[in-house]
């Protein structure tokens, strides 16, 4: 089926910690802002793609009831950040197939209220027999969500070399982007000295290598390209998609071939199946002017760069030195500040930023000639957005 979908409205609540509003209250603010942005009415919305349900978010039926919506298509993902792409892709498929006219992709998160559910003794998922969904292994004392990413980075450094000082280039440059964004929670520069003086969370990841724990909501509105032409904003086309990869060669915070969990230790190699989004969309990787990724932990952008062929195996640490992914770099990454410095809204704040960039509305952080931008994660899913 040919994908015929565009993002026509974006809205967000304020981002912060211990905000007084509930998840539903935050979502209501984002929803109203998205409607106003698109020039649509509440009655125009007949589809919901809810990224994060209970307990970290709100289930779709509560959203429909509270917002007074008449819905004929629903998709709801599980409670983890990795399903942001899945929720957007379901919305694109739904409008392309005629299952809905306008789908609202909604997520509202209150991590500062629910933080005890993520790691430690209150993490029910982490106590499952096979371990937790972030690579936790409680029987070995590995209960923090950062544990899987730390294990992967240790292995990567063993194979290819690298230091904590070199890894610091990732959060430092993402912070430089955040300083140009008035919505970003983090307002102070991050120096190498400050990074190295911060406490170790799980070796080799220090405090500033780990994402923020914040509250906030983002809503994106998706419709067909034909309907989009009549709306208020310049539409942003969903130009290409590929799904989450799964199997024994996959580990949530490691690229294939690294040798974590059940992965064979074959070495990291970009495979054609991991980059089919370019061929299927007819858009060359060289056309991508900015990269956006789920930066829950500093090593993850490195793995994305290698998995999608922006650099070779073991080259990402060197690739990101010298301002490559920062403001004015050859491949700006997470120009809003990402999960590390803007807010943790599970990647929806990244997609909102991509839309603003492609509309030319990003102000001092605007990427020149931003026509094609890519969202991609270390577990293999991706979306190309085009102006």
């Amino acid at each position: 089926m040919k994908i015929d979908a565009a993002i026509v409205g974006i809205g967000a609540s304020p981002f912060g910690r211990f905000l007084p509003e509930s998840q539903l209250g935050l979502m209501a603010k984002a929803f109203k802002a998205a409607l106003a942005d698109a020039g649509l009415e509440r009655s125009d919305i007949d589809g919901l793609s809810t990224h994060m349900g209970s307990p970290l978010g709100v289930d779709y039926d509560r959203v429909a009831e509270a917002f007074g919506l008449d819905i004929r298509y629903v998709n709801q993902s599980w409670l983890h950040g990795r399903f942001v792409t899945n929720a957007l892709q379901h919305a694109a498929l739904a409008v392309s197939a005629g299952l809905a006219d306008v789908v609202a992709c909604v997520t509202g998160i209150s991590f500062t209220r629910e933080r005890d559910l993520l790691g430690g003794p209150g993490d029910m998922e982490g106590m499952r027999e096979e371990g937790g969904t972030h690579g936790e292994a409680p029987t070995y004392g590995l209960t923090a969500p950062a544990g899987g990413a730390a294990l992967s980075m240790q292995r990567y450094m063993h194979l290819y070399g690298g230091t904590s000082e070199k890894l610091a280039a990732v959060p430092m440059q993402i912070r430089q982007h955040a300083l140009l964004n008035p919505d970003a929670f983090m307002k102070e520069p991050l120096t190498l000295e400050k990074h190295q003086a911060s406490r170790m969370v799980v070796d080799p990841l220090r405090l500033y290598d780990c994402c923020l724990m914040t509250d906030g909501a983002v809503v994106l509105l998706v419709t067909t390209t034909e309907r989009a032409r009549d709306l208020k904003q310049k539409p942003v086309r969903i130009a290409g998609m590929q799904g989450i990869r799964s199997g024994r060669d996959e580990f949530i915070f490691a690229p294939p071939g690294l040798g974590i969990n059940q992965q064979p230790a074959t070495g990291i190699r970009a495979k054609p199946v991991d980059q089919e989004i370019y061929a299927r969309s007819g858009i060359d990787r060289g056309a991508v002017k900015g990269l956006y990724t789920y930066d829950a932990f500093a090593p993850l952008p490195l793995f994305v760069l290698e998995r999608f062929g922006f650099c070779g195996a073991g080259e990402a640490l060197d690739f990101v030195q010298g301002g490559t992914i920062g403001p004015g770099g050859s491949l700006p990454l997470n120009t809003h500040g990402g999960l590390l410095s803007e807010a943790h809204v599970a990647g929806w704040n990244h997609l909102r930023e991509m839309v603003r960039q492609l509309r030319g509305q990003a102000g001092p952080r605007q990427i020149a000639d931003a026509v094609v931008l890519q969202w991609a994660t270390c577990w293999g899913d991706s979306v190309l957005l085009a102006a």
Side-chain angles (χ1 to χ4, degrees), residues 25 34 48 110 117 120 208 210 250 332 361 381:
L48 280 176
S110 185
L117 297 175
Y208 294 110
C210 301
E250 299 292 342
Q361 298 172 342
D381 55 293

Side-chain angles (χ1 to χ4, degrees), residues 243 247 276:
E276 64 184 2

Side-chain angles (χ1 to χ4, degrees), residues 49-354:
S49 189
T50 305
H51 167 225
M52 194 171 289
S54 178
L56 291 181
V58 181
D59 292 329
Y60 75 89
D61 45 359
R62 299 287 83 81
V63 175
E65 291 170 359
F67 294 179
L69 303 177
D70 188 7
I71 298 299
R72 64 188 182 100
Y73 170 83
V74 164
N75 166 67
Q76 179 164 315
S77 298
W78 197 28
L79 58 80
H80 288 291
R82 82 191 78 154
F83 296 116
V84 56
T85 317
N86 180 272
L88 179 60
Q89 289 174 345
H90 271 268
L93 291 168
V95 299
S96 298
L99 296 175
D101 292 325
V102 184
V103 176
C105 299
V106 298
T107 196
I109 296 171
S110 185
F111 279 126
T112 49
R113 294 182 181 208
E114 312 291 348
R115 63 184 304 166
D116 290 341
L117 297 175
L118 301 170
D123 183 356
M124 295 178 289
E125 289 189 19
M127 296 307 294
R128 295 186 303 180
E129 184 178 1
E130 74 274 22
T133 50
H134 295 90
E136 300 98 330
T139 52
Y140 296 99
L142 195 65
T143 59
L151 189 66
S152 299
M153 192 59 196
Q154 283 189 9
R155 174 68 176 165
Y156 184 92
M157 293 165 72
H158 170 75
L159 290 174
Y160 302 113
T163 62
S164 172
E165 289 86 352
K166 294 188 77 172
L167 180 61
V170 174
M172 287 169 60
Q173 289 175 82
I174 290 177
R175 179 67 62 85
Q176 290 171 7
H177 287 302
L179 296 178
L180 301 174
N181 177 10
D183 293 336
F185 184 78
M186 303 303 285
K187 303 294 187 182
E188 297 180 358
L190 177 60
T191 64
L192 180 60
E193 292 74 19
K194 188 173 182 179
H195 178 277
Q196 290 297 291
S198 66
R199 64 180 174 86
M200 191 72 73
V201 177
V202 184
D203 190 14
L205 303 187
R206 297 183 177 276
L207 178 64
Y208 294 110
D209 296 319
C210 301
C211 62
L212 299 170
M213 296 290 285
T214 54
D215 309 334
V218 172
V219 171
L220 270 61
L221 304 181
V222 178
T223 189
T224 62
T225 53
E226 181 178 358
R227 177 76 185 280
R229 295 189 190 104
D230 299 327
L231 299 179
K232 184 177 176 181
Q233 297 286 354
K234 173 184 175 182
V236 170
R237 184 168 56 93
I238 298 175
M241 306 191 308
Q242 70 180 44
I244 293 175
R245 280 40 179 146
S246 186
R248 290 185 176 182
D249 203 27
E250 299 292 342
F251 177 77
I252 180 171
F253 291 145
L258 190 60
I260 304 297
N261 200 22
Q262 297 187 58
Q263 292 180 332
T266 56
I268 303 168
R269 294 292 182 271
K271 299 180 293 184
V273 69
D274 285 335
Q275 300 175 18
E276 64 184 2
I277 189 169
Y278 305 119
R280 287 180 177 268
S281 66
I283 297 174
D284 185 81
R285 182 175 54 239
V288 174
K289 297 297 184 180
L291 183 63
Y292 296 79
T293 187
Y294 192 86
D295 55 330
F297 305 105
L300 306 191
L302 306 178
F303 302 153
V304 169
L305 288 165
E306 296 186 12
R307 182 160 197 166
F308 285 87
F310 290 96
C311 57
E315 297 177 358
L317 262 180
D318 289 332
F319 180 87
V320 301
Q321 305 303 310
T324 306
I325 61 173
S330 59
L331 186 66
L333 186 143
N334 292 356
T335 54
H336 55 315
L339 306 183
L340 288 168
S341 283
E342 186 192 38
H344 195 325
V345 196
W348 291 101
N349 48 329
H350 300 57
L351 291 165
R352 180 180 72 140
E353 172 71 3
M354 293 171 73

